Amino acid sequence: MDKEQERSRSSAEPSPKDALDVFNAMVMISRLQDKKLQTALSNLSVHPAQYSCLFVVCRKKGLNLRELAQLLRVENSTASVTVRRMEKAGLIQRRPDESDCRMTRLYPTEYGKEQFESAKRIMEEFIQFCFGELDSRELRILGGLLDRVCARLNQYEIQPAYP
């Protein structure tokens, strides 16, 4: 096999080691990001895991719990626990739906809006620092690649493990 064929083959078929290296890098990035954000947001009432929830509730006021869970791509029960904790912290509130009083809608409190704005500034600074050495072209390429990985991951059918 000549070098051209080898190069063509290697670009079309990722080696399991290369894929594992990238996967491990993604895991490490996720862990490091969580750890750094936990520290950066420690003076606020918003935990890193709650930031996305507060972001959605502030941007799309009046969502119900099911809609929030869909937007966050989490189970309803996970969203429910998060909302309950954020309610207890005074960040969001539930109000009855005007047309169907059996349903409740989610709204940020004034305190929640203030905390969101503070967290947003921290997040913007953090994101700028993380990606500050990449130019626009590199960011678009990276974003496109990550979108492809995410789309592929969404297609993965989880097989139950049998003992």
Side-chain angles (χ1 to χ4, degrees):
M1 182 181 300
D2 70 4
K3 289 188 186 234
E4 184 62 38
Q5 287 175 324
E6 189 175 314
R7 198 174 325 115
S8 174
R9 183 176 158 268
S10 68
S11 67
E13 299 174 27
S15 77
K17 184 193 179 311
D18 291 341
L20 182 61
D21 288 347
V22 171
F23 181 82
N24 286 334
M26 289 171 54
V27 169
M28 294 309 294
I29 288 169
S30 179
R31 288 181 181 158
L32 187 56
Q33 172 186 306
D34 287 347
K35 185 177 180 179
K36 296 289 185 177
L37 282 176
Q38 181 76 35
T39 302
L41 297 173
S42 64
N43 290 334
L44 301 177
S45 296
V46 181
H47 298 285
Q50 295 173 337
Y51 177 78
S52 296
C53 182
L54 190 56
F55 177 86
V56 171
V57 171
C58 284
R59 293 289 192 242
K60 297 182 181 255
K61 296 170 185 72
L63 292 171
N64 65 37
L65 193 61
R66 181 182 50 79
E67 293 166 333
L68 176 65
Q70 287 175 338
L71 288 170
L72 294 175
R73 295 183 180 177
V74 298
E75 298 295 323
N76 287 355
S77 58
T78 302
S80 180
V81 169
T82 302
V83 164
R84 200 172 314 119
R85 287 182 180 151
M86 293 176 73
E87 249 184 318
K88 191 173 181 178
L91 298 168
I92 60 177
Q93 60 183 312
R94 298 178 205 234
R95 293 188 212 149
D97 183 282
E98 292 176 4
S99 61
D100 182 357
C101 50
R102 295 172 297 173
M103 182 180 296
T104 59
R105 300 276 176 192
L106 303 170
Y107 297 89
T109 62
E110 284 305 314
Y111 178 67
K113 290 176 194 175
E114 292 168 10
Q115 290 290 295
F116 170 69
E117 287 303 319
S118 296
K120 187 173 109 178
R121 284 190 295 278
I122 291 168
M123 293 295 289
E124 288 168 350
E125 180 182 307
F126 181 76
I127 290 166
Q128 181 58 42
F129 180 83
C130 288
F131 297 104
E133 291 187 359
L134 301 177
D135 63 32
S136 293
R137 183 182 143 282
E138 291 169 324
L139 283 172
R140 284 192 303 274
I141 291 169
L142 179 59
L145 292 171
L146 292 173
D147 284 346
R148 286 174 51 195
V149 170
C150 188
R152 181 105 169 127
L153 184 57
N154 263 333
Q155 295 173 359
Y156 184 75
E157 295 292 328
I158 298 173
Q159 303 298 321
Y162 296 100

